[in-house]
Amino acid sequence: MDLHVDVPKSSQSSRKDLKSAQHSANSIRSAHSTIRRTTYVESLIHLLKACICSGTFAMGDAMKNAGLVLGPIGITLLGAICIYNNQSLVRSSVVIRKKLCLLHEPNFPEIVELCFEYGPLRFRKWRNFVRYIVKIFIIATQLGFCSVYFVFVASTMQTVMEKHGFQYDTRIYISIALLPILLSSMIRSLKLLTPLSLLSNMCIFFGIFMTAYQCCMDLPSLSERKLVTDYASWPLFLGTTLYNFEGISIVIPLLNEMKDTRRFSSPFGVLNVGLTMVVLLAVIMGFLTYLKFGDDVRGSFTLNLDQGILSEMIMSIVALGILLTYPIQFHVAVDVFWWDLVASFGPFKHMVLYELLLRTVLVLITFVMAAVVPRLNLFISLIGAVCSTTLSLVLPALCDISLRACPEDEGRLMASSKCNQVLRYLMNGISLFLAAIASTTGAFYSIKTIIAVFWQDELGKYT
């Protein structure tokens, strides 16, 4: 791959300004990231933790909106597209870093900005805009998910405790969850987070295994379920499935903190192996739970389990796994927020102290959102429909297109055969098309649900 290109004077000036503004922060970040590098296994654990979460438990509901035949096919194809976009983002990161001889590993917003800056002229005027959009979307989605984790854990605790005669408001359980979440969020290194991610994975996999075991008992005939549903419900399937694969925000932080980055995106690297496991798990659990429960399958299939001690144990262990998911999702938002603060106002005399204060403030923000905002999950669904789709499908495709269409080097940055070029442009087009459908329909259904729910709540006050 030929990475040598001539850079126009305007771009050289922009690059100098960018380096001058962020040089100190990048130097500190580079030194910080080399302190504790993660291994292949540790990175795989984190990737699985970020992707196998609440979305996996909703795959039965997704399958209900597609059918037993269309569902597995759709999940597999959408999974392949998401893997392609993750690989595309990593490829853009590697190319832009070599092209500019960067001494630090660029994060997600920097990658998008630099890809736009060195792309076609029509892309360059948007570079500042997309940088801010990426930062806002990452912080909004990650902190939004973290707030929902508070609600999920608290509502599960409330459900289990009510069966034993303890009647308390959900906010009490949200407050109980605050302390363990706050303590786990003080861990600043992905390497040190590995034990928590491993324990969380064990809890989640236990819940999935036990649910699968119960589903395999007395399975109904395939003829009792829809093989292909009406097309009107396909957008719901699309939105739920894409939500399950929304882990692109953690990809670049994992890449940047690996000891051997070549093992991250290789054919049998962390990315392909981890996301393939996520796709297979989604297909299996979606198929089994829809086959078992049919149209009665719930948004989290653990809610369909028979009542009893075993069901309560599964729900409690899954809730613990979700609680331990908070630190890895939280780490992504802090990584963007913190280094922006360092670049703007730092370096600080007591770096660690200020970072811990920032982490405390952000945890308290998610806590307040969970405790105060009614029907928080509905608003997070709206944010996810727009922000998550943009991050996972739109921006990787645009970065790839930008580098391939760079006028100064005539595409040598992403040199490949003509057949490969056509295939990649086709995949980018499919990604953008899916993003348009998913964001439009997702936003529509989310707004529709929000209006209906709050309208019903208002009517309930006068009846």
Side-chain angles (χ1 to χ4, degrees):
M1 184 186 299
D2 185 2
L3 297 171
H4 176 73
V5 294
D6 294 325
V7 183
K9 292 183 179 179
S10 60
S11 297
Q12 289 176 349
S13 177
S14 299
R15 190 200 314 170
K16 287 180 181 178
D17 293 339
L18 179 65
K19 285 186 176 181
S20 175
Q22 298 182 335
H23 176 74
S24 179
N26 290 337
S27 299
I28 298 172
R29 184 170 70 191
S30 179
H32 173 80
S33 64
T34 57
I35 295 175
R36 296 185 179 93
R37 293 284 187 174
T38 54
T39 64
Y40 179 97
V41 174
E42 290 169 338
S43 298
L44 182 60
I45 289 172
H46 286 310
L47 182 63
L48 292 175
K49 177 70 257 111
C51 295
I52 301 177
C53 195
S54 56
T56 305
F57 290 88
M59 291 315 297
D61 185 59
M63 194 76 69
K64 177 182 69 177
N65 293 308
L68 287 179
V69 172
L70 181 61
I73 296 174
I75 292 172
T76 304
L77 291 177
L78 290 173
I81 291 172
C82 288
I83 293 174
Y84 167 81
N85 279 283
N86 280 272
Q87 288 282 11
S88 182
L89 181 64
V90 172
R91 188 185 311 111
S92 297
S93 172
V94 173
V95 169
I96 206 69
R97 187 183 179 192
K98 288 183 177 179
K99 170 182 170 59
L100 302 181
C101 300
L102 298 178
L103 298 178
H104 71 284
E105 297 92 347
N107 59 19
F108 197 163
E110 289 174 329
I111 292 168
V112 177
E113 178 189 14
L114 292 173
C115 287
F116 271 63
E117 182 178 351
Y118 293 96
L121 295 178
R122 65 174 65 94
F123 277 71
R124 296 177 185 179
K125 62 182 180 180
W126 296 100
R127 66 183 186 89
N128 290 323
F129 174 77
V130 295
R131 181 179 76 243
Y132 291 118
I133 283 294
V134 175
K135 291 177 181 179
I136 293 171
F137 280 12
I138 288 177
I139 293 171
T141 54
Q142 299 306 120
L143 295 185
F145 293 158
C146 289
S147 299
V148 171
Y149 295 158
F150 263 113
V151 177
F152 182 92
V153 172
S155 59
T156 301
M157 292 171 63
Q158 184 183 40
T159 300
V160 172
M161 296 304 291
E162 282 180 350
K163 295 177 182 178
H164 297 277
F166 297 94
Q167 301 285 340
Y168 297 110
D169 187 78
T170 308
R171 294 181 179 87
I172 299 296
Y173 296 103
I174 291 177
S175 301
I176 294 173
L178 174 61
L179 181 59
I181 285 178
L182 181 61
L183 292 177
S184 63
S185 299
M186 295 299 105
I187 301 175
R188 303 165 52 243
S189 166
L190 282 177
K191 189 172 185 66
L192 296 180
L193 273 176
T194 302
L196 290 183
S197 291
L198 179 59
L199 178 58
S200 178
N201 282 335
M202 292 172 62
C203 293
I204 297 294
F205 277 109
F206 173 82
I208 290 173
F209 174 79
M210 293 303 297
T211 304
Y213 172 76
Q214 292 197 7
C215 286
C216 288
M217 300 172 64
D218 301 322
L219 281 173
S221 171
L222 295 176
S223 60
E224 297 183 27
R225 303 289 179 249
K226 298 176 183 177
L227 300 182
V228 178
T229 61
D230 185 79
Y231 68 89
S233 62
W234 292 357
L236 297 175
F237 165 78
L238 177 63
T240 305
T241 305
L242 287 177
Y243 170 75
N244 181 56
F245 297 140
E246 203 291 305
I248 197 167
S249 297
I250 191 64
V251 167
I252 297 302
L254 286 178
L255 170 68
N256 290 344
E257 295 201 29
M258 268 196 76
K259 287 181 180 178
D260 185 0
T261 56
R262 294 171 298 181
R263 300 187 67 192
F264 187 80
S265 58
S266 60
F268 293 97
V270 171
L271 204 52
N272 286 346
V273 172
L275 293 181
T276 299
M277 293 174 63
V278 173
V279 173
L280 289 175
L281 192 62
V283 170
I284 293 171
M285 293 310 300
F287 185 90
L288 282 178
T289 51
Y290 176 57
L291 178 60
K292 175 69 174 181
F293 304 112
D295 290 340
D296 294 327
V297 67
R298 306 280 291 277
S300 175
F301 49 65
T302 55
L303 299 175
N304 287 101
L305 299 178
D306 296 332
Q307 302 299 316
I309 296 298
L310 180 60
S311 173
E312 294 174 11
M313 182 178 69
I314 294 173
M315 291 174 64
S316 300
I317 292 177
V318 169
L320 175 60
I322 298 297
L323 184 146
L324 295 175
T325 303
Y326 188 106
I328 187 69
Q329 302 286 12
F330 184 73
H331 178 88
V332 177
V334 172
D335 185 66
V336 173
F337 215 127
W338 170 242
W339 294 115
D340 259 16
L341 288 178
V342 174
S344 300
F345 305 104
F348 305 110
K349 183 177 180 180
H350 304 288
M351 293 285 288
V352 175
L353 176 61
Y354 280 106
E355 183 178 350
L356 294 179
L357 286 174
L358 173 65
R359 288 173 174 269
T360 302
V361 170
L362 292 180
V363 170
L364 291 177
I365 289 174
T366 61
F367 166 75
V368 171
M369 287 175 60
V372 174
V373 180
R375 312 281 185 172
L376 176 65
N377 59 314
L378 299 179
F379 293 99
I380 300 304
S381 297
L382 177 59
I383 292 173
V386 178
C387 301
S388 297
T389 304
T390 302
L391 293 173
S392 59
L393 293 177
V394 176
L395 293 173
L398 291 181
C399 286
D400 187 79
I401 292 172
S402 178
L403 291 179
R404 292 181 186 281
C406 182
E408 280 80 25
D409 60 13
E410 299 178 350
R412 290 198 303 274
L413 274 174
M414 308 288 276
S416 57
S417 65
K418 184 172 292 187
C419 180
N420 185 267
Q421 289 271 21
V422 172
L423 178 61
R424 292 195 177 280
Y425 275 118
L426 176 62
M427 289 295 293
N428 291 333
I430 293 174
S431 297
L432 295 175
F433 177 71
L434 282 176
I437 296 177
S439 60
T440 303
T441 57
F444 172 78
Y445 281 109
S446 295
I447 294 173
K448 181 180 178 181
T449 304
I450 290 171
I451 294 174
V453 169
F454 279 89
W455 178 257
Q456 187 175 7
D457 288 347
E458 286 296 319
L459 288 179
K461 296 178 181 179
Y462 302 99
T463 58

